[in-house]
Amino acid sequence: MSDKDHDIQRIQMLLDIMKANDLAELEIKHGDDKIVLRRQQPQPTIYAAQAMHPAAAAPAASVAGQNSAGGAAPPVEQNLVAITSPIVGTFYGTPSPDADPFVEVGTEVDSQTVVCIIEAMKVMNEIKAEVSGAIAEVCCTSGQAVEYGQVLFRVRPH
Amino acid sequence: MSDKDHDIQRIQMLLDIMKANDLAELEIKHGDDKIVLRRQQPQPTIYAAQAMHPAAAAPAASVAGQNSAGGAAPPVEQNLVAITSPIVGTFYGTPSPDADPFVEVGTEVDSQTVVCIIEAMKVMNEIKAEVSGAIAEVCCTSGQAVEYGQVLFRVRPH
Amino acid sequence: MLSRVLIANRGEIALRIIRACREMGIETVAVYSEADRAAPYLKLADEAVCIGPAECAASYLNIPRIISAAEITAAEAIHPGYGFLAENINFARICADCGITFVGPGVEAMRLLGDKVAAREVARNAKVPVVPGSDGAIKDEKEALKLAEKIGYPVIVKAAAGGGGRGMRVVHNDMGLRSGLAAAKAEAEAAFGDDCVYLEKFIVEPRHVEVQVMADAAGNAVHFYERDCSIQRRHQKMIEESPCPVLDEPTREKLCEAALRLIRQSNYVSAATVEFLVDKDKQFYFIEANTRIQVEHPVTEMVTGHDLIKWQLRIAGGETINIRQEDIRLRGVAMECRINAEDPQNNFSPCPGRIDAYIVPGGFGVRVDAFVHQGWTISPNYDSMIAKLIVHQNTRAEVIETMKRALREFVIEPVKTTIPACLEILSHNLFVKNKIDTGFVERTLF
Amino acid sequence: MLSRVLIANRGEIALRIIRACREMGIETVAVYSEADRAAPYLKLADEAVCIGPAECAASYLNIPRIISAAEITAAEAIHPGYGFLAENINFARICADCGITFVGPGVEAMRLLGDKVAAREVARNAKVPVVPGSDGAIKDEKEALKLAEKIGYPVIVKAAAGGGGRGMRVVHNDMGLRSGLAAAKAEAEAAFGDDCVYLEKFIVEPRHVEVQVMADAAGNAVHFYERDCSIQRRHQKMIEESPCPVLDEPTREKLCEAALRLIRQSNYVSAATVEFLVDKDKQFYFIEANTRIQVEHPVTEMVTGHDLIKWQLRIAGGETINIRQEDIRLRGVAMECRINAEDPQNNFSPCPGRIDAYIVPGGFGVRVDAFVHQGWTISPNYDSMIAKLIVHQNTRAEVIETMKRALREFVIEPVKTTIPACLEILSHNLFVKNKIDTGFVERTLF
């Protein structure tokens, strides 16, 4: 393999490293040998009117509190999959008030595992995981109101 | 295959890598050998609200017509210097109705040369070139209304 | 008084209701679909609940989700706005079953007036004139001729199973009726497999005039005069005004009294609109009632000085109407133009998209009810109305001039809007001279 | 009627005048400085002329350039708006000399009312009460005591050469006057090298109430009732309302009649405002007259239904006032908040800059007079007013609620504005209870 072909292989490897590590620039120099790689920077966020907030107005409290899809979320582990609420209602983590929870952190679930109940209009709706993995986070507490799309659990998939 | 053909092949491969990986720049150096590749950055489109036009509204006719500083100007030779109107009034290119014009295309002017008169409130104001060079364009005709900042002449400076 | 109201709607009417609630000190719960997540009016509500994805069936039309949202936020009442679930009897019934106050009429009154045949029956009982006709299938030519003689030509022969103009013909004399009847029957048989036809008086070039009414649970009812909504295109209202510029005072009084009789007859509570056709002789005929607040309600608010949404909320909270009919007066003239994201040059097809430039008109006599802003993206999921531009002036001539200057000020780019179409109508000689009817726009302009 | 008017102003009042002209079919010429080149309202004028750079002295205050602009565009008249050249007698005179109609009073009336001493003389001749006082230097203690007895305590001793509070003291009895007079004279001598002082009745916690008047060349004059402008900070009005909520009907009538007498006495033509102080006993005292349209004129427009700019233009075009005083009626209550780019948390210092987010309030009862938009940059060269938010409702309590909800809807970012300050005032117990005077804001809030 020529030196130059080798370069291409090497660059490909370096690129993988850059991507995996979100590098913007990479420079390698061996004596006279030198490789500089610079990745496209994400575009600056230009003012998005959609995102603006009427500062003078009392902000609407999201029913879902800080776990709301719209609210500011705490930093979460990457690669987790969220189980979100398909309806609006009240979250229950246990099948009955005194029972054990459907799932806890660490519980292994598959797509058919019932993870909670959401009550809407007096109807108890069983919510299934729809993903396989281990429960990494329980985001709601029993009796809490949840809105459509709200994150209920996070799952570390297999 | 020649070295140069090989280079082209190599550059093509490098370009593909750059494109596929959103690289902005790539530089390879082997002793005296060096390849630098830099990709054109797309410019972010920043929305300029200032520039918008009430389409539904009848556009205000600029008093100065199409030679207005605000209006669309025909493409002009680069490096010309504009003599603009320091006041609002009526342009006269000649000292009296039957006289020859103060200047014409090609006339050599210096900073003290009177190039026209602008009448404002019955007062005839002599306008000086304030630049040395040759008149390249006469932008107004006698009797024409001119606004502040409007281009009266263009001068090819020495 | 109500303490907490959920608004089961979106866009300008959601904002309109939030405004009224805020001014009354009533807390609000807004619901929204994912498409409306960034709507600024959500910030003005006390709570906001996401109820589903952009599709209406899974959000704004989804009764369980809306009821659930009311339950989890402890909302005492639901204001349905207009459109969506506003005239859905099932929704009103479920609200009642769940102990939630529906800001609107009771289920029974809604059923009575929501059904065209039942409403016609209510009108007759209340001695409100309806379009005269056979009220059922015509047996034979003899019966048809007799009826036509009674109600007067022209008459229209309609297929009972019909729609969209098929099996429909207007006839002007006995001879025409004889041939028209046969032809209509044949056409109806061919088109619908049913040759039943009925007969109705054909109102020539009518105006669409509707009376705004408000009634409380104690049986009080007042009207807020009428709106003229004759400027329509394919049954979509484009421009509305109040008062109707062709009514004289005695006719206006008779019309408004008729509307009140009909509302009282149906034990109605809340806001209603009673729609009439008015012919060239100023005869009016009841056509239908709308059991909700309407898009064009602001023109009535401007000429009467009464906030109709606040009246709805007060009545839903159990208050009685504490003003007398004679306290409600007409002041000047008001007009509304609907600004839709539609392209008048392309058959008014919707033009969703991002609004890059947006400047609203203002100044003397101008009211704007909108909810968009520069940077907002008009979703293709919902109706195309961007804004309602309402003008109030002392005279109709002044209204037209103020409306024209306000429309010319209105910057909405780059989406196409109905602004040029409204300007064309307002500048039309026949509109200015007030020689219009419900067919004017389609016959003359678009 | 005027056919073509040049507007010698900028910003919201330029747009306000363009709007009135468009509705009347009058052509408009806008003038602008280089800083205002991108202003959208320029597109609404029939012509627009650049008259100079951003600095006022070289553009909006430059008489030759404005007159020249009128000449080259063949404008028949000039409307000066408020501020800039609106009360410049020299400008009015030059307009007259050049055969251009000045939309405002004649030079002589402007001179009479523009000068405080002359205006006081006019008022006395018209039997309009002025603040009682010595009308010149006090000779000695004896004269001072005699005068104080006549006009009643408290009185204020002022240095004739004074200003800014120096050499000024309020005294409440003879003893206080004796010592105060001596001290004031000494202070005046020390500060200004002139120990002349004069004496005036001190109006305790007065309200600032002004009457809107309009007069034509034929000698007709009508008033449009009064505005209360007591909400001020450092003599800058912040919130104005009409009618004045403390006046009873007889006092209102006496006040408005007094203003009309003063205007008639000076052979005035066009719009004028006659300013009074009103004390706790509802006694009123003329202070000065403004010979122009005022910033706060919209509150009067809302409660009377009359477009005052159109009246100015009609009168300037030679029309006579064709309405009677009894045709002008007060309807409900109107209030205006001035939205300035100022930081209330930083001593109201101006905050020019780019507006990145801008959403104006709307809906029932809301009028906005503004000229900015999302993307506009507020120039440091001009005054900091961004918008006037005007609310019209049936009662003062409703006005306050609607104004609060409209202020909370108003999005102007990131520049700091007076919106929070206005909200604080509107929410203050004393404001709501209407227990305010011209010192309220500074004493209680800012």
Side-chain angles (χ1 to χ4, degrees):
Chain A
M1 201 191 272
S2 78
D3 263 357
K4 286 170 184 178
D5 284 335
H6 188 72
D7 271 347
I8 286 166
Q9 266 197 342
R10 210 169 141 227
I11 286 168
Q12 194 56 64
M13 285 170 68
L14 292 172
L15 280 174
D16 289 342
I17 291 169
M18 284 181 80
K19 261 193 258 174
N21 298 281
D22 251 345
L23 280 190
E25 194 170 326
L26 190 150
E27 180 171 340
I28 298 181
K29 204 176 162 194
H30 280 294
D32 283 341
D33 291 354
K34 183 181 172 187
I35 292 182
V36 177
L37 298 173
R38 217 172 267 127
R39 286 184 70 217
Q40 181 93 17
Q41 295 283 338
Q43 291 305 305
T45 307
I46 294 152
Y47 172 67
Q50 296 293 77
M52 72 199 162
H53 298 286
S62 170
V63 66
Q66 61 176 355
N67 287 319
S68 153
V76 290
E77 188 185 330
Q78 284 191 332
N79 301 323
L80 295 187
V81 173
I83 302 176
T84 60
S85 177
I87 54 173
V88 179
T90 306
F91 175 94
Y92 293 104
T94 59
S96 64
D98 301 324
D100 288 335
F102 290 106
V103 294
E104 294 173 294
V105 170
T107 307
E108 292 288 326
V109 299
D110 63 26
S111 64
Q112 293 304 305
T113 312
V114 172
V115 289
C116 66
I117 281 171
I118 292 180
E119 179 192 348
M121 296 182 71
K122 320 288 177 227
V123 175
M124 299 295 171
N125 303 279
E126 294 189 338
I127 307 299
K128 290 175 180 167
E130 289 182 359
V131 62
S132 293
I135 297 288
E137 191 185 346
V138 180
C139 307
C140 299
T141 55
S142 278
Q144 179 181 334
V146 293
E147 62 184 352
Y148 173 84
Q150 183 167 349
V151 177
L152 307 173
F153 301 91
R154 289 184 208 279
V155 175
R156 191 172 301 107
H158 296 315
Chain B
M1 203 193 272
S2 74
D3 262 358
K4 284 176 185 173
D5 283 338
H6 190 72
D7 269 347
I8 286 166
Q9 267 196 341
R10 209 170 142 228
I11 286 168
Q12 195 54 62
M13 284 171 70
L14 291 172
L15 279 174
D16 289 343
I17 291 168
M18 285 183 80
K19 265 190 249 172
N21 296 281
D22 256 346
L23 277 192
E25 194 171 324
L26 191 150
E27 180 172 339
I28 298 181
K29 203 175 162 194
H30 279 295
D32 285 340
D33 293 350
K34 183 180 173 186
I35 291 180
V36 177
L37 298 172
R38 213 174 271 124
R39 286 181 66 214
Q40 181 89 26
Q41 298 278 347
Q43 290 305 307
T45 307
I46 296 163
Y47 173 66
Q50 296 292 76
M52 72 198 163
H53 297 287
S62 170
V63 65
Q66 61 176 355
N67 287 321
S68 156
V76 289
E77 189 183 331
Q78 285 190 329
N79 302 322
L80 295 188
V81 173
I83 302 176
T84 60
S85 178
I87 53 173
V88 179
T90 304
F91 174 94
Y92 292 104
T94 59
S96 64
D98 301 326
D100 288 335
F102 289 106
V103 295
E104 294 173 294
V105 170
T107 307
E108 292 288 327
V109 298
D110 63 28
S111 63
Q112 293 303 305
T113 310
V114 173
V115 289
C116 66
I117 282 171
I118 293 179
E119 179 191 351
M121 295 183 70
K122 320 286 177 230
V123 175
M124 298 297 173
N125 303 278
E126 292 189 340
I127 308 300
K128 288 173 181 168
E130 289 180 2
V131 62
S132 292
I135 297 290
E137 192 185 343
V138 180
C139 306
C140 298
T141 55
S142 279
Q144 179 183 332
V146 292
E147 62 184 351
Y148 173 83
Q150 183 168 348
V151 176
L152 307 173
F153 301 91
R154 292 186 204 278
V155 175
R156 191 172 299 109
H158 294 317
Chain C
M1 204 178 78
L2 299 175
S3 59
R4 194 174 178 81
V5 172
L6 181 141
I7 297 144
N9 215 304
R10 66 176 296 282
E12 74 87 17
I13 191 65
L15 175 55
R16 171 74 189 86
I17 297 163
I18 291 172
R19 284 171 171 160
C21 288
R22 283 186 82 109
E23 292 180 20
M24 294 171 82
I26 299 173
E27 291 182 6
T28 50
V29 178
V31 297
Y32 61 96
S33 77
E34 290 182 319
D36 287 330
R37 189 179 288 284
Y41 65 81
L42 299 178
K43 303 279 188 324
L44 300 172
D46 293 284
E47 289 197 41
V49 182
C50 181
I51 52 167
E55 301 74 48
C56 296
S59 50
Y60 299 112
L61 285 173
N62 190 298
I63 295 177
R65 290 181 180 193
I66 288 170
I67 297 285
S68 247
E71 286 180 342
I72 64 170
T73 57
E76 179 188 3
I78 295 182
H79 196 308
Y82 53 70
F84 291 129
L85 299 170
E87 288 172 294
N88 184 312
I89 294 177
N90 192 36
F91 181 59
R93 188 177 287 125
I94 291 172
C95 284
D97 290 348
C98 294
I100 298 169
T101 302
F102 178 78
V103 182
V107 170
E108 187 51 25
M110 209 164 159
R111 195 193 58 72
L112 260 184
L113 294 185
D115 180 80
K116 273 206 178 194
V117 175
R120 212 172 137 94
E121 183 65 24
V122 173
R124 258 192 300 259
N125 292 340
K127 302 203 186 327
V128 173
V130 297
V131 179
S134 60
D135 261 329
I138 283 283
K139 282 200 295 284
D140 52 28
E141 190 181 285
K142 197 179 150 197
E143 188 192 346
L145 287 167
K146 205 174 141 191
L147 186 61
E149 189 180 13
K150 192 178 145 209
I151 63 180
Y153 286 105
V155 298
I156 183 163
V157 185
K158 288 181 178 176
R166 283 203 296 179
M168 209 182 263
R169 50 193 62 212
V170 178
V171 296
H172 296 267
N173 49 42
D174 283 1
M175 206 169 77
L177 179 55
R178 277 191 197 98
S179 59
L181 190 66
K185 271 178 172 288
E187 208 172 303
E189 173 69 43
F192 312 110
D194 172 4
D195 77 345
C196 281
V197 295
Y198 64 102
L199 208 80
E200 212 174 59
K201 187 168 177 67
F202 180 69
I203 314 293
V204 180
E205 299 182 1
R207 296 181 80 114
H208 175 115
V209 182
E210 57 188 33
V211 178
Q212 177 68 54
V213 177
M214 195 74 71
D216 67 22
N220 303 300
V222 292
H223 68 77
F224 293 82
Y225 299 96
E226 82 285 1
R227 297 183 286 262
D228 190 316
C229 311
S230 302
I231 298 297
Q232 309 181 346
R233 185 182 167 278
R234 305 203 175 165
H235 301 288
Q236 295 299 306
K237 294 168 185 168
M238 301 177 76
I239 299 179
E240 304 96 351
E241 60 184 289
S242 179
C244 168
V246 294
L247 294 188
D248 50 34
E249 271 313 310
T251 309
R252 170 169 298 119
E253 201 167 309
K254 271 167 57 187
L255 181 81
C256 294
E257 275 304 318
L260 277 182
R261 279 200 306 278
L262 185 134
I263 287 303
R264 289 202 181 99
Q265 184 79 25
S266 57
N267 291 317
Y268 194 88
V269 175
S270 193
T273 299
V274 185
E275 296 190 342
F276 297 91
L277 292 182
V278 177
D279 71 14
K280 303 220 173 242
D281 302 321
K282 313 283 178 289
Q283 294 298 311
F284 56 83
Y285 306 94
F286 168 73
I287 43 175
E288 64 173 317
N290 296 310
T291 61
R292 52 170 159 86
I293 197 72
Q294 284 189 274
V295 175
E296 61 270 26
H297 76 274
V299 296
T300 299
E301 295 185 325
M302 298 321 284
V303 288
T304 63
H306 281 276
D307 186 318
L308 296 174
I309 302 289
K310 286 187 184 169
W311 271 118
Q312 282 194 302
L313 292 164
R314 275 190 221 109
I315 290 168
E319 288 184 50
T320 53
I321 295 172
N322 60 356
I323 48 167
R324 294 166 304 173
Q325 184 62 59
E326 57 265 38
D327 295 333
I328 306 171
R329 295 186 181 284
L330 281 175
R331 290 170 182 165
V333 177
M335 194 177 281
E336 171 184 283
C337 285
R338 300 191 188 191
I339 314 299
N340 299 338
E342 295 169 1
D343 184 359
Q345 300 212 289
N346 187 16
N347 205 27
F348 290 81
S349 61
C351 285
R354 188 175 188 275
I355 298 174
D356 288 337
Y358 184 71
I359 304 179
V360 285
F364 188 93
V366 172
R367 165 177 173 183
V368 180
D369 277 36
F371 74 107
V372 303
H373 58 85
Q374 191 161 305
W376 177 257
T377 298
I378 301 162
S379 164
N381 289 287
Y382 310 117
D383 86 40
S384 60
M385 196 167 71
I386 302 171
K388 306 190 300 200
L389 176 56
I390 304 115
V391 164
H392 184 209
Q393 273 283 14
N394 296 306
T395 64
R396 187 169 189 268
E398 287 170 291
V399 163
I400 292 174
E401 289 310 315
T402 303
M403 185 65 90
K404 277 157 62 179
R405 77 96 179 139
L407 286 168
R408 288 185 181 122
E409 267 178 43
F410 213 149
V411 177
I412 307 175
E413 291 178 353
V415 296
K416 304 277 186 200
T417 73
T418 46
I419 288 173
C422 289
L423 277 169
E424 224 177 303
I425 294 166
L426 288 162
S427 306
H428 197 287
N429 188 34
L430 292 176
F431 182 81
V432 173
K433 286 188 177 162
N434 190 22
K435 293 185 189 299
I436 51 157
D437 60 80
T438 55
F440 163 73
V441 170
E442 283 172 71
R443 200 168 53 234
T444 318
L445 289 165
F446 308 111
Chain D
M1 203 179 75
L2 299 175
S3 60
R4 194 174 178 81
V5 172
L6 180 140
I7 297 145
N9 216 303
R10 67 176 294 282
E12 73 88 17
I13 192 63
L15 175 55
R16 171 74 190 85
I17 298 163
I18 290 172
R19 284 170 170 160
C21 288
R22 281 186 83 107
E23 292 179 20
M24 295 171 80
I26 299 174
E27 290 182 6
T28 50
V29 179
V31 298
Y32 62 97
S33 77
E34 289 181 319
D36 288 329
R37 189 179 288 285
Y41 65 80
L42 299 178
K43 303 276 190 323
L44 301 172
D46 294 283
E47 289 196 41
V49 182
C50 181
I51 53 168
E55 300 74 48
C56 296
S59 51
Y60 298 112
L61 284 172
N62 190 298
I63 296 176
R65 287 181 181 192
I66 288 170
I67 297 286
S68 247
E71 287 182 342
I72 63 170
T73 56
E76 179 188 3
I78 295 182
H79 195 308
Y82 54 70
F84 292 129
L85 299 169
E87 289 173 292
N88 184 313
I89 295 177
N90 192 35
F91 180 58
R93 188 176 286 125
I94 291 172
C95 284
D97 290 348
C98 294
I100 297 168
T101 301
F102 178 79
V103 181
V107 170
E108 186 51 25
M110 207 164 162
R111 195 192 58 73
L112 260 183
L113 295 185
D115 179 80
K116 274 206 178 194
V117 175
R120 214 172 137 92
E121 183 65 25
V122 173
R124 259 193 299 261
N125 291 340
K127 304 206 185 324
V128 173
V130 297
V131 179
S134 62
D135 260 329
I138 284 283
K139 281 201 295 287
D140 52 30
E141 189 180 285
K142 196 179 151 196
E143 188 190 348
L145 288 167
K146 204 172 140 189
L147 187 61
E149 189 181 14
K150 192 180 146 208
I151 63 181
Y153 286 104
V155 299
I156 184 165
V157 185
K158 288 180 176 175
R166 286 202 296 179
M168 209 182 262
R169 51 192 63 211
V170 177
V171 295
H172 295 268
N173 51 40
D174 282 3
M175 205 169 76
L177 179 55
R178 276 190 197 99
S179 60
L181 190 68
K185 272 177 172 288
E187 209 174 303
E189 172 69 43
F192 313 112
D194 172 3
D195 77 344
C196 281
V197 295
Y198 64 102
L199 209 79
E200 213 173 58
K201 186 169 180 64
F202 179 69
I203 314 293
V204 180
E205 298 182 1
R207 295 182 79 114
H208 175 116
V209 182
E210 57 188 34
V211 178
Q212 177 68 56
V213 177
M214 195 73 70
D216 67 22
N220 304 300
V222 291
H223 68 77
F224 293 82
Y225 299 96
E226 81 285 2
R227 295 183 288 262
D228 189 316
C229 311
S230 302
I231 298 296
Q232 308 180 346
R233 186 182 166 278
R234 305 203 174 164
H235 302 288
Q236 295 298 308
K237 295 168 186 168
M238 299 177 77
I239 299 180
E240 304 97 350
E241 60 184 289
S242 179
C244 168
V246 295
L247 294 189
D248 51 31
E249 270 313 311
T251 310
R252 171 168 297 119
E253 199 167 309
K254 271 167 58 188
L255 181 81
C256 294
E257 274 305 318
L260 276 181
R261 280 201 306 278
L262 185 134
I263 287 303
R264 289 202 180 99
Q265 185 79 23
S266 58
N267 291 316
Y268 195 87
V269 174
S270 193
T273 299
V274 185
E275 297 191 341
F276 297 90
L277 292 181
V278 177
D279 71 15
K280 303 221 171 239
D281 302 321
K282 313 282 181 290
Q283 294 298 311
F284 55 83
Y285 306 94
F286 168 72
I287 43 174
E288 62 173 316
N290 296 312
T291 61
R292 52 169 161 85
I293 196 73
Q294 283 188 276
V295 175
E296 61 270 27
H297 75 276
V299 295
T300 299
E301 295 184 327
M302 297 323 283
V303 288
T304 63
H306 282 276
D307 185 319
L308 296 174
I309 303 289
K310 285 188 185 170
W311 272 118
Q312 280 194 304
L313 291 164
R314 275 190 222 109
I315 289 168
E319 288 183 48
T320 54
I321 295 172
N322 59 357
I323 48 166
R324 294 165 307 172
Q325 185 62 57
E326 57 265 38
D327 296 332
I328 305 171
R329 295 186 180 283
L330 281 176
R331 290 171 182 163
V333 177
M335 195 177 279
E336 172 184 282
C337 285
R338 300 191 188 191
I339 315 299
N340 298 337
E342 295 169 1
D343 184 359
Q345 300 212 288
N346 187 17
N347 205 27
F348 290 82
S349 61
C351 286
R354 188 174 188 275
I355 298 173
D356 288 336
Y358 185 72
I359 303 180
V360 284
F364 187 92
V366 173
R367 166 177 171 182
V368 181
D369 277 36
F371 74 107
V372 304
H373 58 85
Q374 191 161 305
W376 176 256
T377 298
I378 302 162
S379 165
N381 289 288
Y382 310 118
D383 86 42
S384 60
M385 196 166 72
I386 301 171
K388 304 189 302 200
L389 176 56
I390 304 115
V391 164
H392 185 209
Q393 272 284 14
N394 296 306
T395 64
R396 187 169 188 269
E398 289 171 289
V399 163
I400 292 173
E401 289 311 314
T402 303
M403 184 66 90
K404 276 156 63 179
R405 77 95 178 140
L407 286 168
R408 288 185 180 122
E409 268 178 42
F410 213 148
V411 178
I412 307 175
E413 289 176 356
V415 296
K416 304 278 186 200
T417 73
T418 47
I419 288 173
C422 289
L423 277 169
E424 226 178 300
I425 294 166
L426 288 163
S427 305
H428 197 288
N429 189 33
L430 293 175
F431 182 81
V432 172
K433 285 188 177 162
N434 191 22
K435 292 184 189 302
I436 52 158
D437 60 79
T438 55
F440 164 74
V441 170
E442 284 171 71
R443 200 167 55 235
T444 318
L445 289 164
F446 308 110

